[in-house]
Amino acid sequence: MVSGTALSGVLLAGASVLSGMPGDTPPQATPVEVPPGSEFDQSRDDDAASLPQLQDTPTPDAVPQVTAPEPDDLSSMDGADTTSSGQPETGQPEAALSAPETPEGETGVTVGTEEPVLPNPQAQAPEAPAGEDDLSISTEPAQPVVPEAEEDSAAFPAPQAGTEGTATPEADSDADPEANGETQAEAETDAATPEAEDEPVVDAPQAPAAPSAEAGEAAAEAAPEEAAPEETETEETETGTTGTIGDIAEGVTTNRLPTALDPAPDPEAEPEPAEAAAEDAVEEAEALPPVRRYAAEFENPENKPLMSIILIDDGTSPIGPAALADFPYPLSFAVDASRPDAAQTAATYRAAGMEVLAMVNLPQNAAASDAETSMSVLLDAVPEAVAVFEGTGTGLQSSREAAEQLAPILKDSGHGLVMFPNGLNTAQKLIAREGVPSATVFRDFDSNGQNASAVRRFLDQAAFRAGQEEGGVIMVGRLRPDTISALLLWGLQDRAASVALAPVSAVLTAE
């Protein structure tokens, strides 16, 4: 079986070699029948090519010649009539004009001449207005007469012996306002109305001056301990009858002068209503947190977007608080709390009515205890600060533990917080969640020494962004001459009018 298979393979291979490869014979060409009239098999006669004929080259004689124009003169007007026409002749009037004839008879219209209007003999001639020197109002009212001191007069009236309930003439003379001079109420009335001298004035009793020691002893010997009369007195004076009010309420003594035996006033008496209201206002202000207690006055009646500008004062700028006292819009100043004169600088800004922030830098990789210790010292270095401002050095976010410790510290002190943006602002969001008024800076517009035009461009971008932010934006700069010049010029532009330039406390406490 195996040998038969091998033999059949050898025979097939030899047969294939001897028979040759298929397709080696070339194809045979057969003529194609072309239908008549199709002109498919027509051939082109091979004739000589016909070339285009060349154009003849023009000769100079064949070019047309151009003749020069003749000069323009007046020879063509030799036979023309150039004489001017004569003046037109006007006709003469046919007849001369004559005046109209006077109508005969009465026409019913009488013409008279104008007569001057004479003034009424009873009318008064107009008078010139009086000058300022002839005022009818007295500008110098009469001053009250100074009373003459009596050497032997006692400080208190002594009642007559055997009379009770009746006022003595000596008491009336001592209590008479005419003897003691005009009272303060009469002086104010005379100063307000100079013509009040002709009208009767009801005099109010005036409290006498404090008695001397000798007068007090004389009064103590002469005056009894019992009270003065309480009935109504009637006194006849030159101007008329003047009545005094008697006892209206029970237990109240009227028409009595103080004596040396009267008890001294209680020093712990209740204060006046105005003083009590002022004390209450001071206590309410002291109860507010610093972010509201030391906030500058600000109003936004048009409810515009808020924009606040903070300028860093590190003590190297030649511009002082006095040069910025009259700035056209509010600015806030961050004072470095590590400066030795931080308290004095902050007090100068506060005296000018500006808000102050304490710029703080925590140590690198500070722990929670380090943050608590440093913040207690740095906050005391800048009194009346509304908020804490993250410094441009190590800042407040170098350590997560220190940044988280700021929330209870600032919540207890009542200060706000302004931080620079860092990633997703996780630290600021966590502190704000604890109830601390905080915000991040939108842009530091002059950290690389930008010129005034670049600063104004950054301020324009911030004003546009303020309309998109809910609480407003905060911009940070430095006390540089270029920055102050840019802020002044930018405040006059239309873009600045689209926002409300506010102190930083308004942005921190915006709802």
Side-chain angles (χ1 to χ4, degrees):
M1 191 175 190
V2 173
S3 61
T5 302
L7 180 61
S8 61
V10 172
L11 293 177
L12 290 175
S16 63
V17 172
L18 295 176
S19 63
M21 295 297 293
D24 291 342
T25 58
Q28 298 179 359
T30 58
V32 179
E33 297 181 0
V34 179
S38 63
E39 299 181 355
F40 180 77
D41 57 349
Q42 289 184 356
S43 61
R44 186 175 181 181
D45 298 338
D46 190 7
D47 297 335
S50 58
L51 301 176
Q53 296 180 358
L54 301 176
Q55 296 181 357
D56 297 337
T57 303
T59 58
D61 298 339
V63 177
Q65 300 294 329
V66 178
T67 58
E70 297 180 356
D72 189 7
D73 53 9
L74 301 179
S75 60
S76 60
M77 300 179 62
D78 292 341
D81 185 7
T82 59
T83 58
S84 58
S85 60
Q87 296 180 356
E89 296 180 0
T90 58
Q92 299 295 330
E94 297 180 355
L97 297 177
S98 59
E101 297 180 358
T102 304
E104 298 179 357
E106 297 180 357
T107 59
V109 178
T110 59
V111 179
T113 59
E114 296 181 356
E115 297 180 358
V117 179
L118 300 177
N120 189 354
Q122 297 181 356
Q124 298 180 357
E127 298 179 358
E132 296 183 357
D133 297 336
D134 300 333
L135 296 176
S136 60
I137 300 175
S138 175
T139 58
E140 297 180 358
Q143 300 297 327
V145 181
V146 179
E148 296 180 358
E150 298 181 1
E151 297 180 356
D152 299 335
S153 60
F156 303 98
Q160 294 181 356
T163 60
E164 184 175 0
T166 306
T168 61
E170 290 81 5
D172 294 339
S173 62
D174 291 341
D176 191 2
E178 295 181 357
N180 295 332
E182 295 182 354
T183 61
Q184 182 178 1
E186 292 177 347
E188 295 178 357
T189 307
D190 294 339
T193 56
E195 298 180 358
E197 297 179 357
D198 298 338
E199 299 179 359
V201 179
V202 178
D203 297 337
Q206 181 179 7
S212 60
E214 298 178 356
E217 294 177 358
E221 295 176 358
E225 295 182 359
E226 53 191 357
E230 299 181 355
E231 288 92 0
T232 304
E233 299 180 358
T234 304
E235 180 183 3
E236 294 292 333
T237 60
E238 296 179 357
T239 56
T241 303
T242 304
T244 59
I245 301 176
D247 295 341
I248 298 178
E250 297 180 359
V252 178
T253 304
T254 61
N255 197 21
R256 177 189 175 192
L257 296 176
T259 63
L261 301 178
D262 290 341
D266 187 5
E268 299 180 357
E270 297 182 359
E272 296 294 333
E275 297 178 358
E279 292 178 358
D280 294 342
V282 172
E283 292 178 357
E284 292 178 0
E286 292 179 353
L288 294 175
V291 70
R292 296 184 181 273
R293 188 193 316 169
Y294 305 125
E297 296 182 0
F298 172 72
E299 295 181 357
N300 187 16
E302 300 180 4
N303 199 19
K304 293 182 179 180
L306 300 180
M307 178 176 174
S308 178
I309 299 176
I310 300 176
L311 297 181
I312 299 175
D313 186 0
D314 55 359
T316 60
S317 175
I319 303 175
L324 304 174
D326 297 332
F327 209 77
Y329 51 86
L331 296 175
S332 302
F333 294 89
V335 180
D336 191 356
S338 62
R339 293 173 50 182
D341 60 342
Q344 181 180 359
T345 304
T348 306
Y349 283 118
R350 289 294 300 153
M354 303 175 184
E355 290 187 355
V356 179
L357 296 89
M359 187 170 67
V360 176
N361 289 291
L362 293 180
Q364 189 72 23
N365 300 325
S369 58
D370 298 335
E372 186 171 358
T373 305
S374 301
M375 291 299 298
S376 61
V377 176
L378 296 175
L379 288 178
D380 294 338
V382 185
E384 299 187 3
V386 296
V388 174
F389 179 75
E390 183 178 8
T392 56
T394 56
L396 302 174
Q397 306 180 57
S398 61
S399 173
R400 181 181 179 86
E401 296 179 359
E404 292 178 352
Q405 187 65 22
L406 292 176
I409 295 174
L410 297 179
K411 186 177 181 180
D412 185 30
S413 65
H415 291 83
L417 178 63
V418 179
M419 306 178 72
F420 284 99
N422 184 10
L424 299 178
N425 299 327
T426 305
Q428 184 268 328
K429 293 178 181 178
L430 291 177
I431 294 174
R433 188 178 300 175
E434 297 296 330
V436 177
S438 60
T440 56
V441 175
F442 174 69
R443 186 182 295 276
D444 188 350
F445 54 79
D446 65 347
S447 57
N448 297 325
Q450 286 85 349
N451 55 13
S453 60
V455 171
R456 292 198 302 270
R457 185 169 63 253
F458 289 150
L459 294 175
D460 290 340
Q461 296 175 0
F464 176 76
R465 185 65 178 272
Q468 302 176 355
E469 297 292 337
E470 182 177 358
V473 296
I474 298 177
M475 299 290 288
V476 174
R478 288 152 186 80
L479 280 176
R480 298 170 52 243
D482 290 345
T483 301
I484 300 301
S485 176
L487 292 175
L488 286 173
L489 295 177
W490 182 79
L492 303 176
Q493 297 179 1
D494 296 337
R495 180 71 71 177
S498 63
V499 296
L501 296 171
V504 69
S505 61
V507 179
L508 293 176
T509 57
E511 299 179 356

